[in-house]
């Protein structure tokens, strides 16, 4: 049905809520599943499918998130000025679904894997396709975002303001239910193996399921089509707004001499040319947008859950006894807490505060929300200090570190010039790394004859000097110098056996050689060693974030792998991930107070024809927050991570003080009332009067008549 021709219709209700709301919240659930599910595996796709480095992968990821929160402006303009919210949601959802399908196709390695080695042959094709997919997704998800929330709000009538507030909470619950399920499911799908010619990590499934969910989201939305209240777009409102503001500024400038009387508001300088109603509406929107200026700082902290906090989790232990939590799964604590905290706040905390006679207005809630987020970062800093106590002493950029491993048949006295003396048993290692502030060293062994060899160490690196069974060929091997990624363990083997060895999943190792590091997950791992017909098996239980060098002696097959020794290059993580729960609790409490309230506030303070625009302004604060993360990650390299957390916490406290002052001077408005007043001052047109009277009559009738069917807004 054409929106512009639609003026009046009855909507069915259930428990005081319009039934159309059901379609909108289910649509939001599926859409958020699609969005967060895709986001959960995106960085891994960049890193391990497109083979980008960590920095590029993280930057493109944050740039994509920022784009997703910038495009709401476009969606809002289209909706409020041209197509209306309903059609905008449909058209942009189609764009969104096409984007998700494109993204899923871009992850099929078989498309360009002509040589069937399991990796794509034409990366340009996959990069181009995935970037196209991501741009369409950003356009779709961002474009519909301000419209869906505002469209949901439009379904309520004026006497349903209590239900309207609950709607925003339920809406937020659906967002988080979708995000929780998808962030649990898509990583599991990704970990499956699939492929036509070769079996690889199943990115097509991990991206394909979100694509299907987006199609379902669209179908659900269309299914509710006959029940929605669809408000008319009111022409190119954004263009009128810009022209009106431009004229007010120009006119003010033209009349800057003191001989002209001052006007109450600078927008009143547009009075000469523009409708009073439009000016009043612009004033309302500008007032709120001004208030939004400090808000991006909240999102700057909030969005570091996915980056800094996840990296922090990689240096912690996720062994919860009954289950093992991977570092990136820790993020699911946020939606889980949202699902519990939103009802608790809505049903218990806020009513209790109200009962105590305290006026916990929306802007006060948002300020308190910011303070909670700041406390979360103080908590993160305290956890970081604990972690730092357990982290190895990594070399600075001017230092070099060296460890010695002896696979020679006897204990050796190792002298490293000028004055480092180490006594190292056969198939043992030096106790820890020795730190040098120079790179050129000479190593002498007390063999007969003495063996002396010069080495140049890597600046800022960690290395191990491997002394094989023939010490004259001792050599340096580079070690890991940071915690292995994703809480995995880095392991390698030194072959002290007299012939080539094959070890499960590794290439064959020559005698005296050392393998490169392999990453293994936490838990018990089995390895089979083979040489010809001989084999033996050994198992090790791994924690999180450790690094080991396994020394294989010549007797390995005769004692059934028992004699393999383990050198611990880096201790496993010992600080438990449960210590992150307080910071997650604080940030999520902050989110409920800040974000859910902000969503309601943006809807309630916007004039009818600019609701999507103000939702877009609200979402833009998130985009700016992400851009700040990008800038800080690139520029602000504080030497200690805990100091960076404290810096962010202090910045947010400062910003929340500024915000509270701004909020103090803000007066809450009822846009409909102001609009009615301006109209009255202007003298309503008879047709408008008539419409208004019908509306009032319908409302009265509604209140009297508590049957399921009610009248909708005009
Ligand atoms: N817990 C994350 C969440 O609920 N995010 C919301 C709100 C984001 C925002 N800037 O308003 C989402 O819609 O994804």
């Amino acid at each position: 049905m054409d929106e512009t021709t639609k003026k009046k219709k009855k909507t069915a209700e259930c428990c005081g809520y319009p039934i159309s709301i059901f379609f909108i919240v289910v649509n939001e659930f599926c859409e958020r599943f699609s969005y967060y599910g895709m986001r959960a595996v995106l960085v891994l796709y960049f890193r391990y499918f497109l083979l980008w480095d960590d920095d590029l992968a993280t930057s493109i990821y944050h740039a994509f998130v920022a784009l997703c929160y910038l495009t709401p402006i476009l969606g809002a303009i289209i909706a409020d000025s041209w197509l209306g919210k309903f059609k905008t949601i449909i058209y942009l959802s189609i764009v969104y679904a096409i984007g998700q399908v494109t993204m899923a196709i871009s992850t099929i390695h078989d498309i360009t894997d002509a040589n069937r080695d399991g990796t794509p042959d034409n990366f340009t094709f996959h990069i181009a396709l995935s970037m196209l997919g991501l741009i369409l997704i950003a356009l779709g998800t961002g474009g519909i975002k301000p419209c869906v929330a505002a469209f949901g709000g439009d379904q309520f009538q004026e006497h349903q303001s209590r239900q309207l507030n609950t709607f925003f909470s339920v809406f937020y619950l659906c967002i988080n239910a979708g995000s929780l399920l998808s962030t649990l499911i898509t990583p599991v799908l990704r970990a499956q193996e699939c492929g036509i010619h070769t079996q690889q990590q199943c990115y097509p499934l991990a991206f394909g399921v979100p694509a299907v969910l987006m199609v379902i989201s669209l179908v659900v939305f269309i299914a509710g089509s006959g029940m929605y209240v669809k408000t008319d777009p009111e022409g190119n409102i954004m263009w009128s707004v810009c022209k009106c503001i431009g004229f007010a500024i120009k006119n003010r400038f033209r009349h800057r001499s003191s001989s002209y009387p001052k006007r109450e508001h600078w927008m009143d300088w547009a009075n000469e040319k523009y409708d009073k109603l439009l000016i009043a509406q612009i004033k309302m929107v500008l007032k709120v947008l001004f208030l939004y200026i400090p808000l991006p700082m909240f999102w700057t902290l909030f969005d570091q859950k996915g980056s800094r906090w996840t990296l922090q989790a990689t240096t912690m232990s996720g062994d919860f006894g009954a289950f093992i939590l991977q570092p990136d799964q820790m993020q699911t604590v946020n939606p889980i807490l949202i699902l519990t905290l939103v009802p608790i706040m809505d049903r218990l905390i806020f009513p209790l505060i109200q009962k105590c006679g305290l006026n916990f207005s929306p802007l006060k809630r948002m300020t308190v929300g910011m303070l909670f987020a700041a406390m979360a970062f103080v908590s993160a800093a305290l956890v970081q200090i604990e972690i730092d106590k357990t982290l190895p002493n990594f070399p600075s950029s001017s230092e070099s570190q060296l460890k010695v491993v002896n696979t020679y048949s006897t204990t050796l006295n190792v002298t490293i010039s000028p004055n480092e003396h180490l006594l190292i048993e056969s198939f043992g290692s030096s106790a820890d790394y020795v730190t040098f502030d120079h790179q050129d060293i000479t190593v002498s062994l007390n063999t007969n004859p003495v063996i002396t060899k010069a080495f140049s160490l890597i600046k800022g690196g960690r290395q191990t000097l491997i002394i094989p069974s023939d010490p004259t060929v001792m050599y340096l091997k580079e070690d890991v110098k940071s915690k292995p990624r994703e809480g995995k363990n880095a392991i390698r083997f030194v072959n002290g056996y007299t012939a080539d060895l094959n070890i499960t999943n590794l290439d064959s190792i020559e005698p005296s050689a050392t393998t490169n590091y392999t990453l293994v997950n936490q838990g018990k791992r089995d390895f089979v060693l083979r040489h010809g017909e001989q084999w033996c098996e050994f198992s090790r239980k791994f924690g999180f974030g450790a690094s080991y060098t396994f020394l294989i002696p010549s007797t390995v097959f005769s004692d059934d792998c028992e004699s393999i020794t383990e050198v611990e290059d880096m201790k496993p993580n010992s600080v438990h991930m449960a210590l992150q729960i307080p910071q997650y609790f604080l940030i999520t409490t902050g989110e409920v107070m800040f974000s859910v309230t902000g969503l309601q506030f943006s809807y309630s303070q916007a004039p009818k024809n600019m609701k999507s625009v103000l939702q877009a302004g609200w979402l833009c604060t998130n985009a700016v927050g992400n851009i700040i993360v990008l800038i800080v990650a690139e520029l602000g390299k504080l030497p200690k991570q805990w100091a960076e957390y404290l810096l962010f916490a202090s910045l947010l406290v400062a910003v929340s003080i500024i915000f509270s002052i701004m909020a103090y001077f803000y007066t809450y408005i009822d846009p409909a009332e102001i609009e009615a007043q301006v109209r009255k001052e202007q003298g309503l047109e008879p047709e408008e009067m008539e419409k208004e009277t019908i509306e009032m009559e319908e409302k009265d009738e509604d209140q009297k008549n508590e049957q399921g069917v009610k009248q909708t807004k005009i």
Side-chain angles (χ1 to χ4, degrees):
M1 195 182 310
D2 189 348
E3 269 175 73
T4 49
T5 60
K6 194 169 170 49
K7 291 290 171 203
K8 215 164 48 160
K9 86 193 264 277
K10 298 197 179 248
T11 54
E13 282 186 21
C14 177
C15 313
Y17 291 85
I19 288 191
S20 52
I21 284 304
F22 168 79
F23 295 92
I24 294 171
V25 292
V26 174
N27 158 272
E28 183 67 11
F29 169 85
C30 297
E31 187 275 322
R32 288 288 94 183
F33 184 112
S34 176
Y35 174 71
Y36 282 108
M38 178 271 310
R39 241 178 78 163
V41 285
L42 191 58
V43 172
L44 298 180
Y45 166 75
F46 289 157
R47 186 69 190 82
Y48 305 114
F49 186 98
L50 296 182
L51 303 180
W52 289 349
D53 64 24
D54 277 356
D55 286 343
L56 183 62
T58 317
S59 301
I60 300 290
Y61 171 81
H62 276 290
F64 167 70
V65 175
L67 189 64
C68 290
Y69 284 102
L70 278 177
T71 46
I73 303 176
L74 201 68
I77 294 174
I78 297 175
D80 282 353
S81 318
W82 178 28
L83 290 177
K85 297 181 196 89
F86 176 72
K87 282 186 189 162
T88 307
I89 295 171
I90 300 226
Y91 294 155
L92 287 181
S93 293
I94 294 172
V95 172
Y96 189 170
I98 294 173
Q100 288 283 32
V101 172
T102 310
M103 188 67 208
I105 293 172
S106 83
T107 67
I108 304 173
H109 68 273
D110 288 301
I111 296 179
T112 65
D113 188 12
N115 60 7
R116 302 190 178 183
D117 66 350
T119 54
D121 297 343
N122 184 350
F123 277 99
T124 316
F125 169 82
H126 292 275
I127 293 172
L129 208 59
S130 57
M131 291 305 112
L132 174 68
L134 288 178
I135 290 170
L136 294 178
I137 293 169
L139 200 64
T141 185
I144 64 172
K145 193 129 184 63
C147 306
V148 179
F151 190 65
D154 289 351
Q155 305 308 307
F156 291 83
Q157 301 189 34
E158 272 162 41
H159 69 279
Q160 292 173 312
S161 61
R162 189 180 55 77
Q163 285 90 340
L164 178 63
N165 278 345
T166 313
F167 160 71
F168 283 112
S169 296
V170 173
F171 189 73
Y172 216 81
L173 284 180
C174 286
I175 290 174
N176 285 277
S179 113
L180 172 62
L181 278 185
S182 64
T183 20
L184 286 174
I185 292 171
T186 47
V188 175
L189 298 179
R190 195 243 335 146
Q192 309 304 309
E193 297 212 324
C194 62
I196 303 166
H197 305 308
T198 56
Q199 298 290 301
Q200 298 298 326
Q201 296 235 328
C202 205
Y203 286 105
L205 192 60
F207 285 99
V209 169
V212 171
L213 260 289
M214 192 50 223
V215 174
I216 296 176
S217 161
L218 178 60
V219 170
V220 170
F221 187 73
I222 294 173
S225 174
M227 298 189 197
Y228 300 131
V229 171
K230 300 165 191 166
T231 49
D232 299 340
E234 301 198 0
N236 198 344
I237 187 77
M238 279 313 284
W239 181 229
S240 312
V241 168
C242 294
K243 278 198 306 192
C244 184
I245 292 176
F247 179 79
I249 295 171
K250 251 196 304 187
N251 203 24
R252 171 75 190 89
F253 191 70
R254 259 194 246 125
H255 299 91
R256 61 188 177 281
S257 139
S258 55
S259 56
Y260 294 104
K262 280 205 160 87
R263 297 190 184 180
E264 207 182 313
H265 192 283
W266 64 269
M267 269 309 299
D268 293 331
W269 287 97
N271 274 345
E272 279 88 333
K273 194 167 165 192
Y274 286 89
D275 181 27
K276 278 223 163 50
L277 183 63
L278 179 68
I279 295 172
Q281 288 169 330
I282 295 177
K283 280 185 197 169
M284 291 185 242
V285 169
L286 288 181
K287 236 172 87 168
V288 179
L289 287 181
F290 176 69
L291 208 55
Y292 283 173
I293 292 172
L295 303 189
M297 202 62 212
F298 174 88
W299 298 113
T300 302
L301 272 73
F302 182 81
D303 279 328
Q304 290 187 45
K305 284 189 291 74
S307 46
R308 290 279 197 267
W309 286 15
T310 303
L311 288 177
Q312 184 183 61
T314 63
T315 59
M316 304 174 85
S317 162
D319 189 349
F320 283 75
F323 59 93
I324 301 292
L325 208 60
Q326 297 302 326
D328 47 351
Q329 287 178 322
M330 198 61 199
Q331 285 183 64
T332 53
V333 173
N334 170 256
I336 292 173
L337 283 174
I338 285 278
L339 293 179
T340 42
L341 283 176
V342 168
I344 293 176
M345 293 282 186
D346 266 8
R347 305 269 157 206
L348 203 73
I349 310 287
F350 294 148
L352 214 67
I353 294 175
Q354 210 175 3
K355 268 210 176 112
C356 295
L358 295 171
N359 171 21
F360 203 29
S361 64
L363 295 180
K364 280 187 193 156
R365 279 187 210 180
M366 289 169 75
T367 313
V368 175
M370 285 180 173
L371 293 176
F372 267 98
M375 285 195 288
F377 266 61
V378 173
S379 174
L382 295 176
V383 170
Q384 191 61 47
I385 290 170
E386 279 309 301
I387 293 170
D388 286 353
K389 286 183 199 159
T390 66
L391 283 183
N393 175 24
F394 292 118
S396 69
S397 55
S398 61
E399 291 173 337
S400 306
Q401 290 184 333
L402 184 71
K403 184 173 209 167
V404 183
V405 158
N406 177 14
T407 61
Y408 184 54
S409 51
T410 60
T411 300
L412 284 174
N413 231 320
V414 181
T415 306
I416 307 172
S417 65
N419 48 15
E420 211 57 62
H421 302 283
L422 307 167
L423 187 68
I424 306 173
E425 286 176 4
S426 173
F427 282 83
S429 75
S430 52
D432 202 353
Y433 285 89
V434 181
T435 303
F436 298 92
D437 52 14
H438 54 274
Q439 278 66 56
D440 294 326
I441 56 164
T442 309
V443 178
S444 305
L445 308 181
N446 68 329
T447 42
N448 189 8
V450 170
I451 300 169
T452 303
K453 210 166 170 181
F455 292 98
S456 183
L457 301 176
I458 298 171
K459 218 173 178 178
R462 278 189 147 192
Q463 285 162 286
T464 294
L465 176 70
I466 309 278
I467 305 174
S469 52
D470 173 7
T472 56
V473 292
M474 60 184 161
Y475 59 94
L476 289 177
K477 188 86 186 164
E478 201 173 340
D479 299 357
V480 277
K481 55 171 186 171
S482 60
K483 282 278 175 185
R485 65 179 166 84
E486 296 165 30
K488 294 185 186 214
N489 300 279
I491 62 162
R492 62 184 177 182
F493 296 85
V494 181
N495 184 4
Y497 187 63
T498 44
D500 285 7
L501 280 178
N502 279 307
I503 306 178
T504 329
N505 293 335
L506 297 173
D507 289 338
S508 143
I509 343 171
E510 289 173 6
S512 300
T514 305
T515 62
N516 290 327
Y517 282 109
T518 304
L519 291 180
V520 293
N521 282 327
Q522 176 278 343
K524 188 168 164 281
R525 306 279 154 229
D526 301 322
F527 302 91
V528 179
L529 271 68
R530 252 179 229 289
H531 171 69
E533 293 295 297
Q534 303 181 84
W535 66 276
C536 66
E537 192 176 14
F538 87 108
S539 303
R540 283 290 185 277
K541 196 165 183 271
F542 295 100
F544 288 85
S547 162
Y548 301 98
T549 303
F550 291 106
L551 311 180
I552 304 167
S554 53
T555 54
V556 63
F557 293 120
S558 51
D559 59 22
D560 203 20
C561 279
E562 287 291 315
S563 53
I564 294 176
T565 48
E566 167 189 302
V567 174
E568 191 180 71
D569 299 332
M570 204 182 292
K571 284 191 185 333
N573 304 340
S574 55
V575 178
H576 204 275
M577 265 186 222
L579 284 189
Q580 277 197 328
I581 291 176
Q583 69 204 54
Y584 270 98
F585 177 79
L586 288 166
I587 201 114
T588 311
T589 309
E591 182 190 354
V592 175
M593 298 213 174
F594 180 89
S595 186
V596 183
T597 314
L599 197 65
Q600 293 163 0
F601 178 79
S602 308
Y603 184 83
S604 71
Q605 299 297 290
K608 197 177 90 209
N609 54 349
M610 296 183 198
K611 297 234 183 255
S612 309
V613 171
L614 217 48
Q615 286 291 327
W618 164 251
L619 293 166
C620 251
T621 62
N622 200 324
V624 179
N626 263 280
I627 293 167
I628 298 176
V629 179
L630 267 179
I631 295 169
V632 173
E634 288 301 319
L635 301 179
K637 297 252 185 281
L638 283 185
K640 291 282 175 203
Q641 185 56 55
W642 61 262
E644 191 184 289
Y645 287 141
L646 284 187
L647 173 72
F648 277 119
S650 324
L651 284 175
L652 191 57
V653 171
V655 163
S656 63
I657 293 171
I658 296 171
F659 180 70
S660 64
I661 297 169
M662 290 163 79
Y664 179 78
F665 291 103
Y666 183 86
T667 29
Y668 293 90
I669 51 157
D670 178 350
E673 212 172 85
I674 294 181
E675 284 167 345
Q677 205 178 321
V678 175
R679 270 205 211 99
K680 208 165 147 198
E681 281 166 19
Q682 287 180 312
L684 268 180
E685 288 183 12
E687 189 200 330
E688 289 284 289
M689 275 286 211
E690 199 180 299
K691 272 204 287 177
E692 201 104 318
T693 322
I694 294 169
E695 209 173 32
M696 296 297 286
E697 280 169 7
E698 283 174 353
K699 227 159 77 183
D700 286 346
E701 202 183 303
D702 261 359
Q703 275 154 8
K704 280 184 229 142
N705 180 2
E706 280 305 318
Q707 297 162 6
V709 182
K710 300 206 173 175
Q711 308 279 47
T712 60
K713 283 189 286 187
I714 292 174

